[in-house]
Amino acid sequence: MLGENVRRMRSYSNITKTRLALMVSIGRPLLNRIEDGTADVRPSVVTKLADSLATTPSFLLAKHSDEDIRHEIAHRKASSPVAAVRHARFY
């Protein structure tokens, strides 16, 4: 679930794998394994992923439909448009 949610939130937010890996301070190979569901992810990395995607760790760890993911992204942009853009500009 984590990997699928990260992949969908990243792609729906138009963030590349390279950019997200830089935002989280992890290597791209680890991000690939996270999205594939084959990585053993530390809680600190889950927190950094959630912060970078402007959501919560619990949201990333729960099962969601595409509609839920898109709603979370829309909610994130509506509640904090500056924070949603901040990451894309500086990484």
Side-chain angles (χ1 to χ4, degrees):
M1 281 182 258
L2 171 67
E4 186 177 325
N5 288 337
V6 168
R7 180 183 48 77
R8 290 188 295 170
M9 288 198 75
R10 178 188 58 75
S11 67
Y12 295 158
S13 299
N14 295 317
I15 300 173
T16 65
K17 284 184 178 181
T18 301
R19 181 168 289 166
L20 183 58
L22 287 170
M23 291 164 66
V24 180
S25 300
I26 60 174
R28 186 153 175 239
L30 176 56
L31 181 57
N32 288 337
R33 290 195 322 267
I34 290 170
E35 288 190 359
D36 292 341
T38 59
D40 185 21
V41 185
R42 293 180 180 170
S44 62
V45 173
V46 175
T47 301
K48 288 179 184 179
L49 283 165
D51 289 344
S52 295
L53 294 169
T55 191
T56 63
S58 61
F59 185 86
L60 288 180
L61 294 169
K63 186 173 176 122
H64 298 286
S65 67
D66 281 347
E67 184 177 320
D68 294 338
I69 298 278
R70 290 178 195 271
H71 181 321
E72 178 73 7
I73 291 169
H75 176 72
R76 171 186 76 193
K77 288 180 181 176
S79 64
S80 180
V82 175
V85 175
R86 181 191 68 190
H87 295 298
R89 288 187 182 157
F90 294 110
Y91 293 95

